[in-house]
Amino acid sequence: MFRQATEADIPQIMEIIGATVQEMKSYNNPQWDEHYPLAADFQADIEQNWLYVLEEDQVIQGFVCLNTVSGKSYPKISWQDSSTPLVMRRMGVRPASRRNGIAAKLLLQAELLAKEQGITVIKMDTFCRNDKMNSFARKNGFIHRGTVCIWDIDEPFYFYEKVLQ
C-alpha cells in the first residue's frame, strides 16, 4: 500500500536510513551520514504532507519525499521542461527488500501523483558517487541534465529529469 507517512512511521524509516548509511559508507558515498537525513527531516516532511511510504504487511518497504520545491541548484540546470516539477528526494528502500521492484513502485506512484496534480515532469538529484540511485535514474527513463558541485568538495551532484507522457 502506498500512502502518506505518519509520525508513527519514523522509527521504521530511520531503520532503513541506518542500514542505508552503512551501505553507502561501504562504497565511499558520503551523501547520507549520521547528520543527514535525520528523524526531524522526516517529521518536517510529514508536517508538509510530502513523505510517502510503501507498506507491505505493516512493514515499510520504502519511502520517498515528493514535493514541488526545487533545490537552490535547480536553476543552474538546463532542463527540457521548465514547468513546475514534482521533485523526488530522500528515497530509500529496506535493504532486505531491494531487487524486488520497491523503488520502481515508488516511482510509479510518484508518476501517478504528478499526473493527478497536472504535473508533467519529475526531477531529482543525487551525489555522483551514489551509483545505485544514478543507475536507478537512468534505468527508469530519467535523463541526465547537468552537474553542480553543492558541497565543499570537488565532486558534483547529478541532476535528472523525466518528462511524463
Side-chain angles (χ1 to χ4, degrees):
M1 173 174 54
F2 182 77
R3 62 172 175 78
Q4 284 196 305
T6 67
E7 194 171 319
D9 297 323
I10 292 177
Q12 285 192 64
I13 290 168
M14 293 312 295
E15 284 177 25
I16 295 169
I17 293 295
T20 302
V21 165
Q22 291 308 309
E23 181 181 348
M24 285 178 162
K25 284 182 178 181
S26 77
Y27 61 90
N28 199 27
N29 175 6
Q31 184 173 358
W32 287 0
D33 59 20
E34 293 77 20
H35 307 288
Y36 177 83
L38 301 173
D41 297 309
F42 295 108
Q43 178 66 43
D45 290 343
I46 290 167
E47 290 169 5
Q48 296 289 327
N49 295 316
W50 292 345
L51 189 61
Y52 295 83
V53 296
L54 184 66
E55 182 181 63
E56 295 176 358
D57 299 321
Q58 299 180 339
V59 176
I60 293 173
Q61 302 301 318
F63 60 87
V64 63
C65 175
L66 300 170
N67 62 38
T68 57
V69 180
S70 296
K72 292 184 288 186
S73 298
Y74 278 56
K76 299 176 183 177
I77 303 300
S78 294
W79 302 106
Q80 176 184 334
D81 187 318
S82 61
S83 65
T84 299
L86 185 67
V87 179
M88 293 180 59
R89 292 192 169 83
R90 292 187 286 279
M91 187 166 83
V93 173
R94 184 174 295 282
S97 300
R98 293 196 184 141
R99 300 189 188 272
N100 291 324
I102 300 298
K105 289 178 185 177
L106 288 168
L107 175 58
L108 175 62
Q109 293 298 321
E111 290 175 2
L112 292 172
L113 184 65
K115 288 177 182 177
E116 286 173 11
Q117 296 178 10
I119 295 173
T120 59
V121 62
I122 297 177
K123 297 178 182 177
M124 60 171 276
D125 63 84
T126 194
F127 188 52
C128 64
R129 284 196 240 161
N130 192 339
D131 296 335
K132 293 180 185 208
M133 198 63 186
N134 283 298
S135 176
F136 171 81
R138 290 186 303 272
K139 178 179 168 185
N140 286 281
F142 284 85
I143 304 298
H144 179 260
R145 295 293 183 200
T147 60
V148 175
C149 289
I150 297 174
W151 295 343
D152 294 334
I153 57 176
D154 292 331
E155 292 178 280
F157 272 66
Y158 296 157
F159 290 75
Y160 294 97
E161 174 180 49
K162 181 174 185 175
V163 176
L164 303 176
Q165 304 301 323

